[in-house]
Amino acid sequence: MFASRLTYFWFCIVTLIIGILSRQVNIIPHFVGDVLYSCLIYFGFRFLFPNQRIITSSLLTLLFCFSIEFSQLYKATWLVSLRQTLLGQYILGQGFLFTDLICYIMGAILASWIDKAFKTQNSL
C-alpha cells in the first residue's frame, strides 16, 4: 500500500536533501528551492495524514506555505532575529515575494501528481 508513512517519510528526506543541495549549487535557479519546499510540506502532511485525500493535502500545503510567506510581511524584532538563523531562513524565509506563491502552487501540484502517479502505479 502506497499510503504508508514510511514511503512519505522517505519522500520527505529525499526532497529535503535535494532542496538543501539546490541552495548550495549556483547553477540551479533559486525558485527550484521554493518548489521543493512546497513538495516537502506536501509530503510532510501526507506523512502525518496518509489516508487524507490528495486535494486536502494540497490545500493544506498551500495554506501552510502561503501563511509562512505572508508572515514575512510582519517585522517583529523577535521574528526578524529568528529569520536570521540558518534554520529560520530555511523554514520562515527572508522576505515576501509574490513569485514564491507561484512556486508553492507549482510544488503542491508537482507533489500531488507524483503522489497520484505512485498510487496508480502501485495499484496495478
Side-chain angles (χ1 to χ4, degrees):
M1 177 182 205
F2 179 76
S4 129
R5 288 183 194 270
L6 184 61
T7 302
Y8 290 119
F9 173 78
W10 284 113
F11 271 126
C12 285
I13 297 298
V14 169
T15 305
L16 180 64
I17 291 169
I18 294 170
I20 291 171
L21 289 175
S22 76
R23 296 290 193 207
Q24 305 302 318
V25 179
N26 292 333
I27 60 171
I28 297 176
H30 185 74
F31 75 89
V32 172
D34 295 319
V35 172
L36 291 170
Y37 177 79
S38 181
C39 289
L40 174 64
I41 300 303
Y42 175 89
F43 292 129
F45 277 123
R46 298 300 286 171
F47 172 76
L48 294 173
F49 311 107
N51 296 321
Q52 192 68 263
R53 293 177 47 207
I54 289 175
I55 188 70
T56 303
S57 296
S58 297
L59 292 175
L60 286 172
T61 298
L62 292 176
L63 179 65
F64 181 87
C65 292
F66 278 39
S67 297
I68 294 292
E69 192 66 25
F70 282 107
S71 78
Q72 294 172 12
L73 296 171
Y74 183 62
K75 301 293 183 189
T77 306
W78 67 272
L79 198 50
V80 171
S81 63
L82 182 61
R83 285 190 177 110
Q84 292 174 348
T85 66
L86 182 62
L87 192 57
Q89 283 179 336
Y90 281 142
I91 296 172
L92 301 174
Q94 286 296 310
F96 179 85
L97 291 173
F98 178 76
T99 54
D100 286 352
L101 300 176
I102 295 169
C103 291
Y104 298 148
I105 293 169
M106 290 172 34
I109 291 170
L110 175 64
S112 61
W113 179 80
I114 290 169
D115 192 6
K116 188 172 181 155
F118 272 87
K119 279 186 175 188
T120 303
Q121 180 182 10
N122 288 338
S123 67
L124 295 178

